[in-house]
Amino acid sequence: MLHTTARRLLTGPLLVAALGAGMVVAPGAANAAGVRATIKVSGSLKVRSGPSLAAKAVGSLRNGQKVTIACTVTGQKVRGAVRTTTAWDRLSTGRYVSHAYVKSAKAAPRCAASSPTAVPTKAKPPARAKRYVVGTVKSFDGRVNLRSAPSTASSVLTAVDSGAKINLACAVTGQNVAGTVRTTTQWDRTSTGKYISHAYMYSGRLPTCTGSTAPAPTVSLTPEQFIRASVGGAQRGWREYGVPPSVTIAQAILESGWGRSGLASVDKNYFGIKCQNGSYGKLANGCHVYKTNECTKAGNCFSTSAAFRTYATQAHSFRDHGSFLRVNPRYAPAFEYSKDANKFIWKVWKAGYATDPNYYTKVTGIMATWNLYQYDTWK
C-alpha cells in the first residue's frame, strides 16, 4: 500500500526515472509516440534486432519492467507467459520483443508497411529432428542380419547381437519369419534404411512406411501346408541324389520344427548343414554364424558358434541335404537302400548323423504318422 502511494506522487522526470532502469524515455515523448506496457517473464526477456528468436540479442528486460511500444509487426510465433502469438513489439529504441511476454492497456498500432524492420510474414520455426522408435534385438539364434530389403533372400548389409539397440523408422510387409520373439511378416526399416525382421525385435508401435502397405497378420504353415511345400524339393533330391523323399521331409520336420526354427525361417536351412571353412557349396548362397550347443560323445555339452549355410529357397535346402549325404563316404552304405526309406534312415543314423538315441524312432514315427511314404517317387 505504501509502495502504491509513493508511485502516485511521482510526476514528470521523477516518474520517467522510476520507470526506466535500462530503458531511458524522454519525458512526455512516450505519451505522444507509443503505448506503455509491462514485461511479464520468468527470469529475463531478450531484446532482439528483429522479430524472430533467431535474430541477434541486443539487450534484456526483467519481469515487471516498463517499456514503450512504438508499433507491432508479424514475426515468429512464440508461446510466452501472457499468450501465444506471432505479434512482435517494436520498442521506442527500434528493437523488438515478442508480444507473448507483454501486457498493455491498449493495442499498439501496426508498423508502417514501408518500415525496413517490419516482417510481413511469419518466420519459420527451427526444423524438428526426425523421431525414431528405439527397438531392442532379442535372439537365441545368434546375430541377426540387417538386409537391403524385407526378405531373407536380399543381401546382408550388417549383423547385430542380441541386446543391441536400433533406431526404427517404420514398418513394411515382407517375408514371413519365425524368430525368437514372434512369427511375423513385419520387417522394420531402420534410421539408416536397412531392414530387420520384427520377429527378433522388441519395440513400440511403428508407423507404416510411406508407399507401403501395413504389415499383414502373421499366419504360420499348418503341418499339411508344410508337407505340400516340401514335396517338390524332396522328390527332386531323390532324382538327383537318391535320398528317399519321405526321409528328407521327415528329417526336415524333426530338425526344423515344421519350419519354425530360426535357422529354417530366416535362412531356409532345414537340416542344420554347416559351412566348411567358409565354403557353402553350389546350392547354398552364403553362411550365417549362430550360437549353438554341441556335445561330445561322452555327453559333455558346451556353447559355441558355428556358420550355417543359407539358401534362397526351401527346395535348394532339400536338394543340398541329398548332396550332403551322397558326397559323405560315411553315409555310402545307406544308398544301398535308396528304395527302402526305413532302412535308409537307419543306416544314416548308425553312421553318426545324429547322437540322439531316439533319432531313428522319431523320424520313422513322423513318416508313418503323416504317411510320407506316399511321396516316394519310385512307388
Side-chain angles (χ1 to χ4, degrees), residues 28 42 59 70 81 99 150 164 178 182 197 237 240 269 279 286 305 352 366:
S42 175
H99 195 59
R182 61 183 66 83
S197 171
E240 292 177 327
N269 187 332
S279 174
S305 294
I366 293 171

Side-chain angles (χ1 to χ4, degrees), residues 346-364:
W346 170 264
K347 288 292 186 179
V348 167
W349 173 62
K350 292 299 286 184
Y353 183 91
T355 57
D356 182 354
N358 297 313
Y359 187 80
Y360 170 78
T361 303
K362 290 177 180 177
V363 173
T364 53

Side-chain angles (χ1 to χ4, degrees), residues 14 16 18 53 68 76 85 120 142 183 192 213 263 266 269 293-294 305 340 343 348:
L14 294 179
V16 174
L53 296 177
T68 299
Q76 181 179 346
T85 181
T183 298
T192 57
T213 57
L263 188 59
V266 174
N269 187 332
N293 290 318
E294 294 191 0
S305 294
D340 188 329
K343 287 185 178 179
V348 167

Side-chain angles (χ1 to χ4, degrees), residues 43-65:
S44 62
L45 175 66
K46 293 187 183 298
V47 180
R48 300 189 180 270
S49 60
S52 167
L53 296 177
K56 182 179 179 181
V58 293
S60 62
L61 299 168
R62 64 181 181 274
N63 183 48
Q65 191 164 343

Side-chain angles (χ1 to χ4, degrees), residues 53-127:
L53 296 177
K56 182 179 179 181
V58 293
S60 62
L61 299 168
R62 64 181 181 274
N63 183 48
Q65 191 164 343
K66 305 296 182 181
V67 296
T68 299
I69 302 171
C71 56
T72 64
V73 299
T74 299
Q76 181 179 346
K77 188 175 184 179
V78 175
R79 177 182 293 177
V82 180
R83 63 183 65 83
T84 298
T85 181
T86 58
W88 283 68
D89 298 329
R90 192 168 84 194
L91 305 179
S92 57
T93 59
R95 307 304 189 185
Y96 293 83
V97 293
S98 171
H99 195 59
Y101 297 96
V102 178
K103 291 192 71 173
S104 58
K106 62 179 182 178
R110 294 286 299 175
C111 295
S114 60
S115 171
T117 55
V119 179
T121 58
K122 181 174 71 174
K124 283 187 176 182

Side-chain angles (χ1 to χ4, degrees), residues 299-358:
N300 299 318
C301 298
F302 55 94
S303 179
T304 185
S305 294
F308 292 86
R309 298 183 186 185
T310 64
Y311 300 91
T313 66
Q314 181 184 19
H316 279 85
S317 176
F318 281 31
R319 292 170 59 202
D320 206 23
H321 169 258
S323 174
F324 173 80
L325 294 177
R326 173 60 82 175
V327 301
N328 271 278
R330 69 158 74 174
Y331 302 122
F335 287 90
E336 296 176 14
Y337 302 96
S338 288
K339 294 185 179 181
D340 188 329
N342 282 21
K343 287 185 178 179
F344 184 94
I345 189 59
W346 170 264
K347 288 292 186 179
V348 167
W349 173 62
K350 292 299 286 184
Y353 183 91
T355 57
D356 182 354
N358 297 313

Side-chain angles (χ1 to χ4, degrees), residues 65-254:
Q65 191 164 343
K66 305 296 182 181
V67 296
T68 299
I69 302 171
C71 56
T72 64
V73 299
T74 299
Q76 181 179 346
K77 188 175 184 179
V78 175
R79 177 182 293 177
V82 180
R83 63 183 65 83
T84 298
T85 181
T86 58
W88 283 68
D89 298 329
R90 192 168 84 194
L91 305 179
S92 57
T93 59
R95 307 304 189 185
Y96 293 83
V97 293
S98 171
H99 195 59
Y101 297 96
V102 178
K103 291 192 71 173
S104 58
K106 62 179 182 178
R110 294 286 299 175
C111 295
S114 60
S115 171
T117 55
V119 179
T121 58
K122 181 174 71 174
K124 283 187 176 182
R128 291 184 179 180
K130 193 169 183 179
R131 294 182 179 179
Y132 299 106
V133 175
V134 178
T136 303
V137 178
K138 183 68 173 178
S139 172
F140 295 144
D141 302 319
R143 304 191 81 198
V144 180
N145 290 328
L146 275 71
R147 298 179 180 269
S148 60
S151 166
T152 59
S154 59
S155 57
V156 177
L157 303 179
T158 186
V160 292
D161 293 318
S162 183
K165 304 290 185 182
I166 301 178
N167 287 335
L168 305 175
C170 54
V172 301
T173 300
Q175 181 182 342
N176 190 42
V177 173
T180 298
V181 180
R182 61 183 66 83
T183 298
T184 181
T185 57
Q186 178 175 328
W187 285 67
D188 303 334
R189 184 188 296 168
T190 71
S191 59
T192 57
K194 302 179 181 71
Y195 293 85
I196 185 168
S197 171
H198 197 61
Y200 292 96
M201 295 299 303
Y202 284 116
S203 73
R205 186 173 182 178
L206 294 174
T208 301
C209 296
T210 303
S212 174
T213 57
T218 297
V219 179
S220 298
L221 292 178
T222 65
E224 292 81 2
Q225 290 171 329
F226 180 86
I227 291 170
R228 283 199 298 272
S230 302
V231 171
Q235 290 183 336
R236 183 168 178 181
W238 151 253
R239 292 193 297 271
E240 292 177 327
Y241 304 106
V243 179
S246 58
V247 171
T248 300
I249 299 171
Q251 285 187 286
I253 291 170
L254 179 61

